[in-house]
Amino acid sequence: MSRPITGFQLLQLKSERVRAIGMLLVLSVVAMLGVYYLLNPVGRAHQVGISILVITFIFVVFEIMFLYVVQRNIRQCRNENDRLRDFELFVESILPIVAMVVIMNVGDDPFTVLLSPAYVLIIIVIAASSLRLNPRLTLYSGILTTVCYTALTLKSLYMDSTAHINPH
């Protein structure tokens, strides 16, 4: 349902566009990391590279679709649906964790993933959510990624391959 747009809502949409373009730039760097692993002949690096590239491709497609909707709303001077923005934030917050889980299951050492550059992507997602100019969405993103990262950490502590490390 299309509603008239106010000046602040137009500013939010333009900020959303900048955020989406920034995320696409970050994802291009992540894709380069995936290509590096893909070309690395050591151990399971090839499989990790494929995993990174597949997850990055999914994320890029999603961001491009969302950017298209935002661009269309700016051109037509109409406000986007709040549910769409919430859904996009949910996917954006969950996808780095999903990528870490996939890489953790493909790679040898789960602790390497917890300390990998993928962790920085979580921080970037939370920081980029502040560009939405909506404190509720930034808080939602921070809480969601914190809960997911905590679950990922607990999963890595209780995996069979790390049973010798866990004293319980």
Side-chain angles (χ1 to χ4, degrees):
M1 176 182 224
S2 179
R3 299 177 297 203
I5 192 165
T6 65
F8 182 70
Q9 289 170 335
L10 183 61
L11 180 64
Q12 281 181 317
L13 286 172
K14 288 180 178 179
S15 183
E16 193 74 49
R17 179 179 58 196
V18 170
R19 186 211 51 79
I21 291 170
M23 286 305 295
L24 288 172
L25 291 173
V26 168
L27 290 171
S28 68
V29 172
V30 173
M32 286 188 266
L33 182 65
V35 169
Y36 169 77
Y37 277 110
L38 187 64
L39 299 176
N40 191 352
V42 179
R44 293 178 142 184
H46 179 74
Q47 293 171 335
V48 170
I50 291 172
S51 299
I52 290 172
L53 288 174
V54 167
I55 296 289
T56 303
F57 177 75
I58 293 168
F59 203 171
V60 164
V61 167
F62 191 77
E63 281 291 330
I64 288 173
M65 288 182 346
F66 187 73
L67 182 60
Y68 171 76
V69 170
V70 169
Q71 293 278 52
R72 186 187 68 211
N73 288 342
I74 290 172
R75 273 193 316 274
Q76 297 174 355
C77 286
R78 65 180 184 150
N79 197 8
E80 65 183 25
N81 189 343
D82 289 337
R83 288 190 182 123
L84 175 66
R85 186 182 296 177
D86 292 345
F87 177 73
E88 200 275 336
L89 178 70
F90 175 78
V91 171
E92 186 178 89
S93 299
I94 292 291
L95 207 54
I97 302 296
V98 170
M100 291 173 80
V101 168
V102 169
I103 294 167
M104 184 183 291
N105 290 333
V106 170
D108 291 328
D109 185 14
F111 293 106
T112 305
V113 174
L114 293 175
L115 302 173
S116 71
Y119 182 78
V120 175
L121 187 58
I122 294 171
I123 295 169
I124 291 171
V125 165
I126 295 170
S129 71
S130 66
L131 288 174
R132 296 176 189 275
L133 303 177
N134 187 337
R136 179 186 62 83
L137 292 177
T138 304
L139 184 63
Y140 175 63
S141 174
I143 290 171
L144 186 60
T145 53
T146 301
V147 167
C148 290
Y149 189 78
T150 302
L152 182 67
T153 303
L154 292 174
K155 178 189 182 314
S156 69
L157 286 174
Y158 292 99
M159 284 180 69
D160 293 337
S161 64
T162 60
H164 64 283
I165 297 174
N166 186 2
H168 299 293

